[in-house]
Amino acid sequence: MRKRWLALGASAAVLAATLVPAAPAMAAPTFKVPFPCDQSWSGQTRTNHSPANAIDFNRTDDLGDPVVASAPGTVDVVTNLGNTSYGKYVRINHGGGWTTYYAHLNAFNVSVGQAVGYGRVIGYVGTTGGSTGPHLHYEQRSSGSAVKIKFNGAQALYWGTKTYKSDNGCGGANTGEGTVNTAGSPLTVRSGPGTGYSSVGTVADGAKVTIQCQTSGTSVTGTYGTSAIWDRIGSGRFVSDAYVYTGYDGYIPGVPRC
């Protein structure tokens, strides 16, 4: 009798498995090239890459260039593995089992738990970890497994090298990100784009700022050379771009002019 009940139980389990439909797989987000709007990058895939479906991105003098979120999500890993593997890397959880990896970064611009959208700067191109030169190692993963990468629904080139132009963050008004670098002293905030405007406060050295728009004003010589660009970081609040690291030598692509 015991054997009969076991057999009946096994049959019921098979029937239940047949009748209960499997949960549908979550559709992938619309991933975009992980660099700011209108930038072109060379992306390489190769069979001996680890994992093979990853892409290595390069362009001339790319050390320190901004890396942006390729789709909306929540940052769930910001870590440094030292001189091995990914080195400094960020992982974004996009929901439905989808994640993206951004590795060999020079520096971070986000923290764990932070929500990010298209075009949000999450870090900067570097050569940390097992890298032999500056580049971005990029992955798209589904349920933990690296899959062949798609941008705007179209599969990347496998195998070889292709130039990809970003449309990430191109729609609508965008903001930029920067880090104040004054070598110690607070940076004066002005009421307008120039040293002749009144001081309305200061920003600490090393502080991250959101740049709402940029305009020309008084030429200032600072940490990053001489520049006439001023960054608006709030209503009636401007700082000289000569003291702000944005990853660009001039105006930030996609950020409106004031």
Side-chain angles (χ1 to χ4, degrees):
M1 181 63 72
R2 177 176 171 78
K3 289 182 178 179
R4 181 172 178 270
W5 279 113
L6 287 174
L8 286 173
S11 297
V14 170
L15 181 61
T18 303
L19 294 177
V20 177
M26 295 294 289
T30 300
F31 292 115
K32 295 183 179 292
V33 176
F35 298 103
C37 177
D38 289 335
Q39 289 189 4
S40 292
W41 286 75
S42 175
Q44 181 194 69
T45 57
R46 57 187 188 275
T47 57
N48 65 346
H49 207 171
S50 180
N53 288 328
I55 293 182
D56 278 349
F57 282 103
N58 278 109
R59 71 173 187 171
T60 303
D61 297 326
D62 55 7
L63 180 63
D65 281 357
V67 176
V68 306
S70 58
T74 301
V75 177
D76 64 0
V77 174
V78 177
T79 194
N80 183 1
L81 300 180
N83 295 324
T84 62
S85 187
Y86 291 171
K88 293 181 179 179
Y89 81 97
V90 169
R91 185 176 74 185
I92 300 176
N93 188 329
H94 304 281
W98 289 94
T99 55
T100 48
Y101 285 65
Y102 311 77
H104 305 312
L105 299 175
N106 185 52
F108 304 122
N109 198 50
V110 287
S111 56
V112 171
Q114 186 172 343
V116 294
Y118 289 120
R120 176 66 163 83
V121 177
I122 61 170
Y124 303 92
V125 174
T127 183
T128 59
S131 171
T132 57
H135 70 281
L136 175 70
H137 173 101
Y138 173 79
E139 299 175 25
Q140 292 174 4
R141 293 196 180 199
S142 177
S143 299
S145 297
V147 298
K148 287 190 174 179
I149 288 166
K150 292 183 178 181
F151 296 123
N152 295 319
Q155 185 177 290
L157 174 66
Y158 289 89
W159 307 93
T161 301
K162 177 181 176 179
T163 297
Y164 297 88
K165 185 173 182 179
S166 176
D167 67 347
N168 196 333
C170 292
N174 297 298
T175 59
E177 302 289 334
T179 302
V180 173
N181 183 357
T182 60
S185 301
L187 178 62
T188 301
V189 180
R190 301 285 180 179
S191 62
T195 54
Y197 288 86
S198 60
S199 171
V200 292
T202 60
V203 178
D205 182 32
K208 296 186 186 303
V209 292
T210 298
I211 300 169
Q212 299 174 344
C213 61
Q214 295 180 296
T215 189
S216 60
T218 305
S219 182
V220 173
T221 299
T223 308
Y224 300 107
T226 300
S227 176
I229 298 173
W230 285 73
D231 305 327
R232 192 179 80 188
I233 60 173
S235 178
R237 293 172 60 83
F238 291 80
V239 293
S240 170
D241 193 67
Y243 288 101
V244 181
Y245 180 78
T246 64
Y248 297 91
D249 291 332
Y251 288 100
I252 304 171
V255 173
R257 301 290 181 90
C258 302

